[in-house]
Amino acid sequence: MRIKRYGSLFLALALALGLCGCSAAGKAGKTSLSIQPAQLTAEEEALAKLLDVSMDSYRIFDFEAGGKQKDGEGVQSVQLTLYELTDGEWTPKAQAQQAFSDVKGRIALSFGKITEGVHMTIQSEGVFESMELDKLADSGTASMSYTTSILTESAAMELDQETPLAIQIVTSKNDIQSYGVQYFDMPREYAKHGYEHVYAVTVMFSQKTVYELVDSAANPSPSPEP
């Protein structure tokens, strides 16, 4: 319990420190839409060491979301989605949404084996919120090994398009062929290896409100006729 509490304290401080470091840059000019792994400062690394926080379960990203609404355009919300690979296609298993309209900020993802749940904290000038993707129903993964690929370089984003942050293979196979998160758009590359479970975590900044996102998830548009 103490470790979990210290981990939460570290995340809060690291997100705040990172926000201070990038806020001045955000005022210098128009921001683009992008996300990249955060480069922790010596101060942040010392803080993690002081609190005895293992960084193995934390992935921290800096992002630019394009800014507030203007003339009907701009970000209004952020959505976190967990997918599982099924028959060569990504199937959504869990989602969480949060109102968001700031220019930039930091995201912290916390998870080990994705089936045990995913926690995301997002902080910007006007927002400090947490989002949870719940533990998945037992799928026989407890004794399986896993390997995780994380976004490792800056990636351009577009509003209402998902950006993969993590992909995790959970399998009983001894030989695991891992791919970078850019292979999210090529799910059949994973399917051809016959892994029992492959999961992906994505983030999406949207021009839609939280209500509109939830409504879209509940009432998906029909697929076009071939």
Side-chain angles (χ1 to χ4, degrees):
M1 181 65 70
R2 183 180 66 179
I3 293 175
K4 183 176 181 180
R5 183 171 65 249
Y6 283 175
S8 299
L9 175 60
F10 167 74
L11 282 182
L13 293 174
L15 289 168
L17 289 170
L19 182 59
C20 292
C22 67
S23 59
K27 297 177 181 178
K30 184 178 179 180
T31 61
S32 59
L33 276 69
S34 64
I35 188 166
Q36 56 279 322
Q39 298 299 314
L40 297 185
T41 65
E43 183 180 6
E44 291 164 343
E45 291 177 350
L47 178 63
K49 185 175 181 180
L50 176 66
L51 296 175
D52 193 24
V53 174
S54 170
M55 294 306 295
D56 293 343
S57 297
Y58 297 101
R59 287 83 177 181
I60 303 177
F61 305 91
D62 292 323
F63 67 87
E64 298 182 358
K68 299 178 182 295
Q69 283 280 317
K70 183 178 180 181
D71 298 329
E73 298 182 355
V75 63
Q76 291 199 72
S77 58
V78 59
Q79 177 171 277
L80 185 68
T81 304
L82 169 61
Y83 290 96
E84 182 172 9
L85 191 66
T86 306
D87 296 327
E89 302 293 338
W90 294 115
T91 301
K93 304 295 289 187
Q95 281 186 332
Q97 298 85 11
Q98 171 65 46
F100 184 84
S101 61
D102 280 346
V103 172
K104 57 172 56 182
R106 261 190 174 181
I107 282 174
L109 286 182
S110 176
F111 63 89
K113 187 176 285 187
I114 283 178
T115 53
E116 297 298 316
V118 179
H119 179 92
M120 185 177 90
T121 304
I122 182 168
Q123 183 167 3
S124 64
E125 184 176 349
V127 171
F128 185 87
E129 295 287 349
S130 294
M131 305 163 68
E132 296 276 358
L133 299 179
D134 293 336
K135 178 178 179 179
L136 298 181
D138 181 29
S139 53
T141 62
S143 61
M144 294 181 182
S145 58
Y146 66 95
T147 184
T148 307
S149 299
I150 304 294
L151 178 70
T152 58
E153 57 187 21
S154 179
M157 297 192 296
E158 294 185 27
L159 292 179
D160 294 296
Q161 291 195 15
E162 293 178 275
T163 300
L165 298 181
I167 294 180
Q168 187 174 92
I169 298 168
V170 184
T171 181
S172 60
K173 294 178 179 289
N174 293 322
D175 184 26
I176 303 177
Q177 178 66 48
S178 183
Y179 297 88
V181 296
Q182 66 270 23
Y183 278 83
F184 176 76
D185 293 327
M186 294 174 275
R188 293 188 183 276
E189 282 295 316
Y190 291 95
K192 69 183 183 182
H193 293 285
Y195 301 126
E196 291 93 333
H197 303 279
V198 183
Y199 302 98
V201 177
T202 69
V203 67
M204 181 180 75
F205 290 89
S206 177
Q207 296 182 84
K208 298 178 181 179
T209 64
V210 169
Y211 174 81
E212 290 171 327
L213 286 177
V214 172
D215 185 64
S216 296
N219 302 284
S221 300
S223 301
E225 293 292 334

